Amino acid sequence: MPAETLRYEREPARRVFAAELREATHHFKDGEDEKSPTYVLLPTGERCNRVLFIGSMTHKEKKGEQNVFYSVRVADPTGTFFVNASSFQQEAMTQVSKIDPPAFVAVVGKPNVYEAPDGRVFVSVRAESVTVVDKEMRNRWVLDAAEQTLKRIEAYGQTPDSQRAQERYNADMATYKRMVYEALTQITL
């Protein structure tokens, strides 16, 4: 009988706007072993351990001397993503090093929640991939992220993760609907 092999399935990257990810302060592990994925729970009720967003890279700063990394800001129609690209993801760091702001970029990465000693919570993204894209691609992403957000809002309270979100956040789904509407109004041809 053949030995069973463990298959690694990569988590899908969730399309999420900056304004929602910024509010996603609850994180948890799904499992007990060290390889178990860590998730961020979106206020609209979906877990994610990878995100995909497209926006305008507005700022890039190289930091560190021995452990070099880049700190990047990417703006979408709802706010700003804070992105780090380090030697842990060499490909992303190399990609970022070659991009000069302002530029539209697509970023795939892992959200990270950090709680400061004073209790403030910061959400950033550890980049896995950063690619220059055009305005048309950014507009398509806004449409896609809007659709995915509205689907989460529609299912709110009907799935285990969205029920968990109801317990953890005091989220008003009307606020997220307005966010989607405002993002859609910013698409230009």
Side-chain angles (χ1 to χ4, degrees), residues 3 8 16-17 23 26 32 49 51 65 67 78-79 89 105 107 112 115 127 130 136 144 150 154 161 164 176:
Y8 171 75
V16 61
F17 287 113
E23 301 299 320
H26 178 63
E32 298 299 319
N49 89 338
V51 294
E65 291 188 25
N67 297 317
T78 71
Q89 293 290 340
V105 293
V107 179
N112 182 45
E115 188 168 344
V130 181
E136 182 180 328
D144 192 30
L150 290 173
E154 188 176 305
D161 282 338
R164 183 186 235 176
Y176 290 104

Side-chain angles (χ1 to χ4, degrees), residues 79-92:
T80 303
F81 294 95
F82 297 93
V83 181
N84 294 307
S86 70
S87 59
F88 292 113
Q89 293 290 340
Q90 188 66 46
E91 180 182 339

Side-chain angles (χ1 to χ4, degrees), residues 107-125:
V107 179
V108 175
K110 295 198 172 282
N112 182 45
V113 177
Y114 170 75
E115 188 168 344
D118 65 5
R120 291 182 298 155
V121 178
F122 300 96
V123 181
S124 64
V125 176

Side-chain angles (χ1 to χ4, degrees), residues 15-187:
R15 279 70 172 158
V16 61
F17 287 113
E20 182 175 7
L21 188 63
R22 184 177 54 240
E23 301 299 320
T25 57
H26 178 63
H27 57 105
F28 61 96
K29 275 187 97 102
D30 192 19
E32 298 299 319
D33 68 57
E34 65 183 49
K35 298 277 186 191
S36 296
T38 299
Y39 292 94
V40 169
L41 184 63
L42 297 175
T44 55
E46 186 167 39
R47 68 178 61 197
C48 64
N49 89 338
R50 295 176 75 234
V51 294
L52 164 66
F53 55 89
I54 296 178
S56 178
M57 180 189 288
T58 59
H59 176 82
K60 174 179 85 171
E61 183 178 352
K62 188 175 181 179
K63 296 183 175 183
E65 291 188 25
Q66 289 183 333
N67 297 317
V68 175
F69 70 98
Y70 286 92
S71 177
V72 176
R73 289 187 211 133
V74 178
D76 79 358
T78 71
T80 303
F81 294 95
F82 297 93
V83 181
N84 294 307
S86 70
S87 59
F88 292 113
Q89 293 290 340
Q90 188 66 46
E91 180 182 339
M93 191 172 89
T94 301
Q95 292 164 332
V96 167
S97 73
K98 296 176 182 177
I99 301 170
D100 291 320
F104 286 120
V105 293
V107 179
V108 175
K110 295 198 172 282
N112 182 45
V113 177
Y114 170 75
E115 188 168 344
D118 65 5
R120 291 182 298 155
V121 178
F122 300 96
V123 181
S124 64
V125 176
R126 190 176 68 240
E128 295 176 347
S129 172
V130 181
T131 307
V132 174
V133 298
D134 61 17
K135 186 176 183 179
E136 182 180 328
M137 181 67 78
R138 193 284 314 245
N139 288 345
R140 278 192 249 145
W141 174 82
V142 170
L143 291 171
D144 192 30
E147 179 182 14
Q148 295 299 312
T149 303
L150 290 173
K151 283 181 180 177
R152 292 193 300 270
I153 291 169
E154 188 176 305
Y156 191 70
Q158 300 172 28
T159 66
D161 282 338
S162 65
Q163 290 167 356
R164 183 186 235 176
Q166 282 181 318
E167 295 168 8
R168 299 299 285 189
Y169 301 112
N170 188 16
D172 176 10
M173 292 302 108
T175 300
Y176 290 104
K177 284 182 183 177
R178 276 192 304 280
M179 173 196 72
V180 168
Y181 173 77
E182 289 170 12
L184 291 171
T185 65
Q186 293 186 39
I187 292 178

